[in-house]
Amino acid sequence: MTGNDVVSGTGVSPAEAPAEGGEVVLRLTDVVKTFPGVRALDGVQLEVRAGEVHCLLGQNGAGKSTLIKVLAGVHRPDSGHVEWRGEAVSFANPQAAMRSGIATIYQELDLVEDLSVAENAFLGHEPRRFGFIRRGHMASRTRQILGRLGHAEIPPNRMVRALPAAGKQVVSMARALSHEARLIIMDEPSAVLAHDEVENLFRIIRELTAQGIAVIYISHRLEEIREIGDRVTVLKDGRTTAANLPARETPTSDLVSRMTGRTIEYVFPDRPTESVVGDDLLQVDGLTRSGEFADVSLSVRAGEIVGIAGLVGSGRSEVLETIYGARTAEAGSVRMAGRALRPGSVGAAVKAGMGMAPEERKSQALLLGEPIYRNVTLATFSRYARFGFTDASRERAEADRIAENLEMRPRDVRRAVRTLSGGNQQKVVVGRWLLGDTKLLLLDEPTRGVDVGARAELYQVIRQLAAQGVGVLLVSSEVPEVLGLADRVLVMREGRVVRTAPAGELDEDTVLDLVMAGSLMEGAPA
Amino acid sequence: MTDSPPTTKLPAQSPPVDPAETEAVGGRAAAGVGRLSWWHGDGGEGAKRNLALIGVLLALFVIGAATRSDLYSNPDWVWANMLSILKLASVVGVVTVGMTFVIIGGGIDLSVGAIVALAGVWCTTVATQSFGAGGMIFTAIIVGIAVGLVNGTLIAYGRLVPFIATLAMLVAARGLAAEISQKQTQISQNSTINGIASTDLLGIPLLVYILAAVVAAGWVLLNRTTFGRRTVAVGGNPEAARLAGINVRLHTLLLYALSGLCCGIAAIMLTAQATSAQAAMANLYELDAIAAVIIGGTLLSGGRGTIVGSLLGVIIFATITNLFAINGLSTEAQNMVKGGIIVAAVLIQQIQFGSLSQFFRRNRLTTS
């Protein structure tokens, strides 16, 4: 394989087609997709050949999922070209992409649990005669497809609900094949599988590619990419930074370096020169929830920012939610200032001085139709009430103070939260816990969907809080954020803390390596 | 509405959009982005919707005046007729206040009619009547609250879907009412109770005062108390409420108890009107109450709604009944009109909410 061409920025075409390998089936040139406030794709080049496994690599927020959605017909690019089997295409909707032979298997499999394997495989295009579904025909074709996938043992009439995760994945692939897909996009397919099942997945992928089907494979696990991948394209900040690298030969350091090093500068507030860190605030010992994380111990002191780095599915958000009582710990203890908290009780955690800004702002934290002030006071409005009667003017005044402190825009606290930008919505969520007497703030992906300017402001706010003696436990999948903001960093992989160190002793490459290495569920909780 | 409209200006490189569509989105932004209200601080959108409902009431009045100008030319008759509409609306109105809370809180209560029947039957047994009017009122209210607590417990702690739990209660409570009354109509011998329906104060029926009191209390509870704030939070985003430290389950339980309380009050009112109670009383009240809540602009998915809107919904229904009665038309035609009104109200709300173009775009998507 040649074509080891490193591209930087937009406007650079991908490598010249090497002589070997199948014909190019998919070619993306300078694809751009913007959302309000974010350039999710900022000049993506991608070239996929028939019969190859093309791996997409990139950190969270690099644009991988947006790219998949463009290919799957969910989003339409703002500019740039998508060429599919020699023709320029723009898919109006997912069905159109499916019909033209591009199938996508998402991480959360989109199967109907209470339909059979065959019904799922042919969902939406059931073989019919006179308007009646030809059940026998559908079953036999499903059996044939499952045979092609090496899973003839799955009965076509079995309910999907009854299948294990690996079986469901096979059904998703059967659906792709029922559409005569020529390109199958797999988004982290191994994330839901156990070790031996991953081997089986690879066997299926090899059988598919042997039939000339192209596969776009997304995974954070370098080991897998080396085993199954042919070529690798690396994305960073919505751009292709390297295209068509040979998957087996390219050194890890090369791959990692092309994923890291922000082109966008983040401004992190300076760490205080003298230590303001006070007494132990949060003490977590041996926290365990089977299937999510095991034996997690950590501590946060007053005025300290502790960061947890890890991939989605590493158990980091689950740890945070368990500390907060939103999930019930199976083993281990959570102590605030020495006093053990009742497991599974958010009320107890809030009473002990915890506050959380959850991962999904809109679905977990905000009342979108309600005004800003009512969202800011959501956790405290009863404190301002007298005999159960709320004090709207006091609430507005308190919220107004918070809005001023956090430089919320717009400043009118009677506006509906729905109308705010992502960054300002996040300020509302964080601001909620500045009222009352929050001692420990749990932040889960605080800057997701927040534009660059607002990020810097949020970092300032978090640092200021720490300077005032609030402890902060921060989870982020963006390694530079954890390293830039936290005083101490825990790295989580597959439900375990694999490294704890002061932020100064770690760099981005090391953390990314720790986060992505290992793979394949070694010793992870079942 | 779970997804937020774009608040920033359209991205520079957005795909070409239909200018009419852009205008519609912009128009919505102009309406929604601004302060929620110019007169009232909160609930402004609801206030505007309520104005529209008052418009509907006026239209119904005009239709009445046009079809029976002979009656409407007499101001005394018009006044008396308005009072009779309010009296007609009073019992369902009280039930609807409780229903509004349950629906804003993200649930639904199908058992309200059955609770009214059970409370009515229970408070008119010979044994209960021997305790006098106070004993009868106490019994009706306690029975209402108790059934509400059972509903709430099943839903909040037993994790039953509200629809199923209250549907089961609908069947069970009517069964219990039939059992207690042995399918007989129980006559209320208590003149104080019976007097509730026949007494006028300052020319206005006592039942209308009770409705007014319950509506006023409901309004204060929803808009001025922590209970109301929790209701909106629990219905609007239960996960956010839970993560903010609100006890979502306890609150859900209380909401159904509140609905039960309203049913207990309604049971006394209805028993007084009929001077009797039986297991089949308050039949299909759940549908009237839910319809009124929907017409009143409360989101069936929870998180937003107004008491005043629900009250107007009840009054609109009662006015239609009255309109058909004074014109001597059949109840069948009346029910068809009511059905049409429910659909129209929901369509209008969808259009108000999502703008016309979005409404049609969504429909095109689902049919393609």
Side-chain angles (χ1 to χ4, degrees), chain A residues 217-380:
Chain A
Y217 188 90
I218 294 165
S219 174
H220 287 287
R221 295 170 179 167
L222 287 178
E223 231 174 51
E224 293 179 8
I225 289 174
R226 298 229 182 275
E227 191 177 340
I228 192 71
D230 294 310
R231 298 190 298 169
V232 179
T233 292
V234 184
L235 296 183
K236 183 179 72 175
D237 297 332
R239 294 193 186 132
T240 301
T241 51
N244 308 332
L245 303 171
R248 280 174 204 83
E249 293 89 39
T250 312
T252 303
S253 59
D254 258 28
L255 291 173
V256 166
S257 73
R258 275 162 191 164
M259 296 163 63
T260 57
R262 287 274 162 180
T263 48
I264 303 164
E265 278 302 311
Y266 287 135
V267 186
F268 292 102
D270 295 332
R271 293 194 173 81
T273 42
E274 58 202 274
S275 178
V276 290
V277 170
D279 300 337
D280 256 2
L281 192 62
L282 174 74
Q283 187 71 47
V284 176
D285 285 304
L287 210 61
T288 300
R289 267 177 67 88
S290 61
E292 292 177 357
F293 55 87
D295 198 24
V296 171
S297 300
L298 59 90
S299 66
V300 181
R301 290 187 289 170
E304 187 185 30
I305 304 178
V306 176
I308 302 180
L311 298 172
V312 175
S314 64
R316 42 173 212 176
S317 300
E318 290 81 358
V319 166
L320 216 60
E321 290 184 9
T322 308
I323 291 173
Y324 192 57
R327 294 170 190 247
T328 310
E330 286 165 9
S333 67
V334 177
R335 292 169 180 279
M336 273 290 278
R339 286 188 49 202
L341 293 185
R342 189 152 62 88
S345 167
V346 174
V350 171
K351 206 168 270 174
M354 280 193 211
M356 180 160 95
E359 187 175 9
E360 300 288 339
R361 216 164 26 237
K362 287 181 184 173
S363 66
Q364 293 186 295
L366 291 172
L367 302 168
L368 289 170
E370 291 284 292
I372 293 173
Y373 80 89
R374 288 188 167 196
N375 275 280
V376 170
T377 58
L378 185 64
T380 44

Side-chain angles (χ1 to χ4, degrees), chain A residues 37-356:
Chain A
V38 196
R39 270 176 101 79
L41 298 182
D42 195 10
V44 167
Q45 333 288 339
L46 178 68
E47 177 200 281
V48 181
R49 298 173 171 282
E52 80 163 332
V53 177
H54 198 106
C55 298
L56 267 185
L57 206 54
Q59 294 201 53
N60 279 62
K64 290 176 312 226
S65 20
T66 310
L67 180 57
I68 297 174
K69 284 181 179 164
V70 165
L71 291 175
V74 178
H75 295 322
R76 302 173 79 164
D78 299 341
S79 67
H81 297 282
V82 180
E83 197 184 302
W84 168 238
R85 302 172 87 182
E87 280 173 43
V89 290
S90 174
F91 299 121
N93 52 49
Q95 288 83 359
M98 201 76 162
R99 270 197 300 274
S100 69
I102 298 181
T104 309
I105 297 172
Y106 293 100
Q107 230 171 320
E108 302 85 23
L109 302 170
D110 45 355
L111 299 175
V112 185
E113 297 259 312
D114 289 311
L115 289 182
S116 72
V117 170
E119 284 163 336
N120 267 288
F122 283 90
L123 194 66
H125 66 124
E126 298 85 355
R128 268 166 291 194
R129 179 180 287 156
F130 311 125
F132 291 96
I133 294 173
R134 301 170 63 191
R135 303 190 65 86
H137 180 69
M138 191 163 84
S140 67
R141 274 183 62 190
T142 305
R143 200 170 291 119
Q144 180 197 337
I145 291 170
L146 289 169
R148 251 174 94 191
L149 292 169
H151 278 278
E153 84 285 358
I154 298 178
N157 60 356
R158 173 75 49 85
M159 286 297 136
V160 162
R161 184 180 292 285
L163 298 178
K168 288 176 186 171
Q169 205 166 52
V170 172
V171 176
S172 277
M173 284 188 240
R175 182 189 284 174
L177 291 184
S178 79
H179 281 278
E180 308 289 340
R182 302 303 300 166
L183 170 65
I184 300 181
I185 303 164
M186 299 183 187
D187 187 7
E188 297 210 45
S190 60
V192 293
L193 301 181
H195 186 94
D196 51 331
E197 294 171 338
V198 174
E199 281 308 317
N200 189 42
L201 170 71
F202 287 173
R203 194 177 50 70
I204 295 173
I205 291 177
R206 286 194 191 99
E207 275 169 34
L208 292 173
T209 51
Q211 295 163 25
I213 294 170
V215 172
I216 294 180
Y217 188 90
I218 294 165
S219 174
H220 287 287
R221 295 170 179 167
L222 287 178
E223 231 174 51
E224 293 179 8
I225 289 174
R226 298 229 182 275
E227 191 177 340
I228 192 71
D230 294 310
R231 298 190 298 169
V232 179
T233 292
V234 184
L235 296 183
K236 183 179 72 175
D237 297 332
R239 294 193 186 132
T240 301
T241 51
N244 308 332
L245 303 171
R248 280 174 204 83
E249 293 89 39
T250 312
T252 303
S253 59
D254 258 28
L255 291 173
V256 166
S257 73
R258 275 162 191 164
M259 296 163 63
T260 57
R262 287 274 162 180
T263 48
I264 303 164
E265 278 302 311
Y266 287 135
V267 186
F268 292 102
D270 295 332
R271 293 194 173 81
T273 42
E274 58 202 274
S275 178
V276 290
V277 170
D279 300 337
D280 256 2
L281 192 62
L282 174 74
Q283 187 71 47
V284 176
D285 285 304
L287 210 61
T288 300
R289 267 177 67 88
S290 61
E292 292 177 357
F293 55 87
D295 198 24
V296 171
S297 300
L298 59 90
S299 66
V300 181
R301 290 187 289 170
E304 187 185 30
I305 304 178
V306 176
I308 302 180
L311 298 172
V312 175
S314 64
R316 42 173 212 176
S317 300
E318 290 81 358
V319 166
L320 216 60
E321 290 184 9
T322 308
I323 291 173
Y324 192 57
R327 294 170 190 247
T328 310
E330 286 165 9
S333 67
V334 177
R335 292 169 180 279
M336 273 290 278
R339 286 188 49 202
L341 293 185
R342 189 152 62 88
S345 167
V346 174
V350 171
K351 206 168 270 174
M354 280 193 211
M356 180 160 95

Side-chain angles (χ1 to χ4, degrees), chain A residues 12-33:
Chain A
V12 183
S13 54
E16 286 303 304
E20 60 176 306
E23 52 165 339
V24 174
V25 289
L26 178 73
R27 192 193 299 277
L28 269 66
T29 321
D30 296 333
V31 169
V32 172
K33 175 73 195 173

Side-chain angles (χ1 to χ4, degrees), chain A residues 32 34 36 39 78-79 324 326 346-347 350 356 358 362-371 373-374 377-379 381-382 385 388-390 395-396 412 414-416 418-421 432-433, chain B residues 1-9 11-15 32-36 41-42 45 220 223-227 229-230 232-234 236-237 239-246 303-304 353:
Chain A
V32 172
T34 49
R39 270 176 101 79
D78 299 341
S79 67
Y324 192 57
V346 174
V350 171
M356 180 160 95
K362 287 181 184 173
S363 66
Q364 293 186 295
L366 291 172
L367 302 168
L368 289 170
E370 291 284 292
Y373 80 89
R374 288 188 167 196
T377 58
L378 185 64
F381 64 80
S382 51
F389 287 88
T390 51
E395 284 183 42
R396 276 198 289 269
D412 185 349
R414 280 177 291 191
R415 268 172 188 261
R418 180 186 293 135
T419 64
L420 301 185
S421 69
R432 175 180 300 163
W433 301 108
Chain B
M1 282 297 299
T2 48
D3 56 334
S4 63
T7 56
T8 45
K9 58 185 185 319
Q13 281 182 302
S14 60
V33 165
R35 291 232 231 99
L36 283 180
D42 24 84
E45 284 179 47
V220 170
N223 295 295
R224 292 287 180 265
T225 70
T226 56
F227 185 90
R229 286 289 291 285
R230 283 190 205 104
V232 173
V234 165
N237 191 338
E239 180 71 358
R242 188 173 77 102
L243 293 180
I246 292 173
R304 214 207 47 213
F353 248 156

